[in-house]
Amino acid sequence: MSEVIVRFPPSPTGYLHIGGARTAIFNWLFARKHKGKFILRIEDTDAERSTKESIQGIIDGLTWLGIDWDEGPYFQSEFAQEHKEVAHKLLQEGKAYRCFCTREELESKRKQALKEKRDIKYDGTCRNLSPEEIASKEAQGLPYVVRFKVPERQGKIGYDDKVLGRIEKDYSEIEDFVIMRSNGKPLYLLCNVVDDIRDRITHIIRGQDHMSNTIRQILLYEALGATPPVFAHMPLTLDLQKRKISKRTHGEVVSVQWYREMGFIPWALVNFLVLLGWNPGTDQEIFSRDELIQAFSLERINKSNSIFNYRKGDPKFFTDPKAININAHYLRTMPIEEIAQMIKEDFIKEGLWNEAYEGDKKQWFLSTLDLIRSRFHTLKDFARQGRAYFADDFEIEPKALKKNVLKRPELKELLPELSLSLEKVEPWNLETTEDAVRKFAEERALKAGIIINGMRAILTGQLKGPGIFDVMVAIGKERVIKRLKNTPELFESAEKKDS
Ligand code: GLU
């Protein structure tokens, strides 16, 4: 195979959608696999709907995901002159023609055809106008569009879609389609082909929603004397009700930026999106960058639509549970130094950052992150559920407070008492803290579990978490003692609230 060149050509009219990101990822994987080129081309011909923010959002989103491009970004609008020239060239070569039919005429013909149950495609009224007729209409200043002259051929035109197999259409079913509007602006369908030819694109990997264009585009390639690229049309992503996922219906959950804000690890999102539309043929779900590049092939892109399993309104399932699980997997297994880098910004924002975490407290910081991550799902959980490890101003989860503290009134006195025995513990480590707590429970014929659960709530604010002695060591002697001493106040303020 000659060099593979693929492209991602988003229209910058909104945020980077996860469906768009998936298209970019598939193209990127294919380019990387074949040591080819991945081009970013911004299709900003629609000047009214394209925005600078959207372009920036696309670039930031791809960069965050780690999807790097080899050329571009190119901007389609910069080639407007070339698009026009190509339309005129097709006119001059007799491969396209001026159509003077008015909107009203076309509409009434369409209605008539519908009524008579005939084909509604354009009837070719202007296809064979004589040069004199054309000249006279032009002289009258009548507006016209330019239509492509579909070759008069018998049989079918088709292509071998890498995902869907052979796709064909009868020539007789293809109407002479418009390639330039009456305002002189070429249509997207044509610009896209002109750009792909200039960029020497070898493979077009895009959503099935573009399939309605493909046959017509193949005709344009032929008319322009170029070989059409290989096409691979990917399945769409639908929700549980089989609707296309969109911001309007589903909200932020469809935008890449949102995953960033929710504390996703970029590669985890890539991994999830790839599985949403492609399968390795095995049960493997977690792929490193190299593994994915190695395993990826167009042939294994799914033919049928993917289901984005999202239940709006359920905070536990703030996105597809599979995405959450994949993210949790990376969060719990990645080198802890990388996690530390990724949460730094959030820690600064939440007032939890300490310069020493990169200095003499680095070891403590990393081992604490490592200790608490095993139950976490997103990077945000470190500052949220893990706050008690890094600051004193944290809240105790109401459920933990009620169940493990307030329902055990004996703790009001026991825990401050325990804190007195703990003051004598030296050195402060896993064994010594465990000994002290167990001995304390034994002496009073108490179940250690009651003390431990109460301590967990008071020390970490959480119902569940790492082993209590690990917690005690991570939080440190001074803080543990202070928090346990404070137990009576928790009871008192709960009583106040109740009265
Ligand atoms: N600009 C088109 C879009 O954003 C891309 C079409 C294509 O891939 O050919 O959907």
Side-chain angles (χ1 to χ4, degrees):
M1 192 161 25
S2 57
E3 188 189 18
V4 162
I5 308 180
V6 292
R7 77 322 188 245
F8 175 52
S11 309
T13 54
Y15 55 95
L16 180 59
H17 187 288
I18 52 173
R22 190 187 63 167
T23 305
I25 295 166
F26 281 8
N27 279 282
W28 173 82
L29 284 171
F30 190 67
R32 292 293 168 261
K33 170 150 187 162
H34 296 284
K35 307 220 174 334
K37 239 185 232 165
F38 175 58
I39 298 180
L40 176 60
R41 186 173 75 223
I42 307 287
E43 297 205 317
D44 59 344
T45 352
D46 187 343
E48 269 161 38
R49 295 180 58 224
S50 300
T51 67
K52 275 210 183 76
E53 296 74 51
S54 169
I55 295 172
Q56 199 53 49
I58 290 165
I59 290 177
D60 291 348
L62 292 176
T63 308
W64 178 71
L65 287 169
I67 304 304
D68 55 341
W69 51 94
D70 307 295
E71 275 184 33
Y74 296 134
F75 292 88
Q76 188 165 58
S77 56
E78 287 173 11
F79 299 94
Q81 192 51 36
E82 185 186 350
H83 301 144
K84 273 188 200 161
E85 281 164 18
V86 171
H88 284 287
K89 181 171 164 258
L90 289 172
L91 255 184
Q92 269 156 20
E93 292 174 355
K95 293 173 179 165
Y97 58 90
R98 292 172 180 77
C99 170
F100 296 91
C101 296
T102 64
R103 201 180 289 254
E104 294 72 33
E105 280 165 358
L106 292 174
E107 196 42 45
S108 88
K109 279 184 191 170
R110 199 167 293 142
K111 278 196 185 134
Q112 191 60 29
L114 271 177
K115 217 162 145 193
E116 294 168 16
K117 297 207 163 71
R118 276 189 292 110
D119 198 353
I120 55 166
K121 74 177 220 261
Y122 178 62
D123 65 358
T125 305
C126 297
R127 189 173 163 122
N128 296 312
L129 294 180
S130 66
E132 295 74 29
E133 283 171 306
I134 295 173
S136 124
K137 285 180 191 285
E138 277 200 288
Q140 291 169 55
L142 294 180
Y144 62 85
V145 299
V146 175
R147 283 184 188 272
F148 181 76
K149 199 183 255 180
V150 175
E152 262 176 77
R153 291 186 193 141
Q154 297 295 318
K156 294 176 190 308
I157 174 171
Y159 62 98
D160 292 309
D161 191 295
K162 278 282 180 195
V163 177
L164 301 169
R166 185 82 190 153
I167 304 286
E168 289 184 325
K169 197 163 183 161
D170 219 274
Y171 273 103
S172 64
E173 286 170 15
I174 313 168
E175 81 171 353
D176 288 348
F177 53 92
V178 178
I179 56 172
M180 189 153 87
R181 295 194 183 81
S182 55
N183 62 7
K185 283 204 174 142
L187 263 89
Y188 167 72
L189 193 76
L190 175 68
C191 305
N192 189 246
V193 169
V194 172
D195 293 346
D196 283 337
I197 294 174
R198 178 185 349 94
D199 291 337
R200 294 176 294 122
I201 300 302
T202 58
H203 294 71
I204 292 186
I205 307 165
R206 63 183 177 190
Q208 284 178 17
D209 47 341
H210 289 288
M211 276 181 84
S212 57
N213 292 333
T214 306
I215 294 271
R216 290 179 289 170
Q217 291 191 317
I218 289 175
L219 287 169
L220 287 172
Y221 277 95
E222 187 194 62
L224 295 169
T227 315
V230 174
F231 287 92
H233 289 102
M234 312 179 313
L236 303 178
T237 302
L238 307 178
D239 70 3
L240 293 165
Q241 285 86 42
K242 305 238 156 71
R243 296 173 299 191
K244 247 177 104 166
I245 55 166
S246 73
K247 197 159 186 170
R248 199 160 36 85
T249 324
H250 304 90
E252 299 292 332
V253 69
V254 301
S255 102
V256 168
Q257 174 61 21
W258 184 82
Y259 287 82
R260 189 174 180 174
E261 286 161 16
M262 291 305 280
F264 262 69
I265 292 169
W267 184 259
L269 184 57
V270 172
N271 193 147
F272 166 70
L273 290 176
V274 169
L275 295 180
L276 202 61
W278 173 86
N279 75 85
T282 65
D283 291 341
Q284 188 175 348
E285 293 210 316
I286 301 295
F287 290 86
S288 69
R289 183 182 184 278
D290 289 345
E291 281 173 329
L292 200 52
I293 291 172
Q294 189 60 35
F296 186 76
S297 74
L298 298 179
E299 288 78 7
R300 295 216 80 97
I301 292 179
N302 301 337
K303 286 189 181 34
S304 50
N305 292 326
S306 333
I307 299 298
F308 183 63
N309 182 1
Y310 166 60
R311 294 155 211 272
K312 202 172 172 179
D314 184 343
K316 253 202 174 145
F317 295 106
F318 56 89
T319 178
D320 187 320
K322 190 162 177 177
I324 303 176
N325 288 340
I326 292 178
N327 197 54
H329 171 86
Y330 282 99
L331 190 101
R332 295 167 193 178
T333 54
M334 273 175 85
I336 201 68
E337 292 80 4
E338 288 179 37
I339 299 285
Q341 279 305 313
M342 288 192 263
I343 60 171
K344 183 173 173 182
E345 202 184 311
D346 198 37
F347 266 49
I348 294 174
K349 210 166 80 202
E350 299 295 335
L352 294 177
W353 184 248
N354 182 339
E355 286 303 325
Y357 293 163
E358 283 173 345
D360 56 4
K361 279 192 145 193
K362 182 168 173 183
Q363 227 26 62
W364 175 82
F365 184 59
L366 295 180
S367 61
T368 303
L369 295 181
D370 194 29
L371 174 70
I372 60 180
R373 67 170 157 172
S374 66
R375 285 173 182 277
F376 290 172
H377 292 90
T378 75
L379 294 166
K380 292 279 168 191
D381 291 341
F382 287 93
R384 220 182 280 143
Q385 298 174 38
R387 189 170 181 94
Y389 291 84
F390 310 99
D392 290 320
D393 59 337
F394 64 94
E395 263 173 44
I396 302 181
E397 232 184 75
K399 215 165 133 194
L401 182 65
K402 202 166 159 200
K403 182 168 171 220
N404 290 340
V405 183
L406 301 179
K407 278 211 172 151
R408 298 279 173 195
E410 64 271 33
L411 293 178
K412 185 172 175 181
E413 277 170 19
L414 280 173
L415 293 183
E417 252 178 65
L418 171 61
S419 76
L420 295 179
S421 346
L422 291 175
E423 274 174 359
K424 292 182 216 109
V425 174
E426 200 64 55
W428 186 261
N429 62 34
L430 284 180
E431 294 78 42
T432 55
T433 50
E434 175 156 11
D435 277 351
V437 172
R438 297 217 184 272
K439 205 164 135 226
F440 180 83
E442 254 165 50
E443 280 168 9
R444 286 160 182 78
L446 289 166
K447 275 197 198 141
I450 294 177
I451 299 209
I452 289 173
N453 288 339
M455 281 171 75
R456 178 171 293 111
I458 289 173
L459 297 180
T460 69
Q462 303 288 308
L463 195 59
K464 291 178 180 160
I468 194 69
F469 308 111
D470 289 295
V471 169
M472 290 174 78
V473 173
I475 289 184
K477 185 170 175 179
E478 201 184 316
R479 274 180 160 158
V480 167
I481 290 173
K482 208 166 99 196
R483 287 177 194 178
L484 293 179
K485 280 213 163 95
N486 192 40
T487 310
E489 280 175 37
L490 296 172
F491 281 93
E492 282 148 24
S493 66
E495 278 158 23
K496 247 189 238 154
K497 253 191 221 159
D498 279 350
S499 60

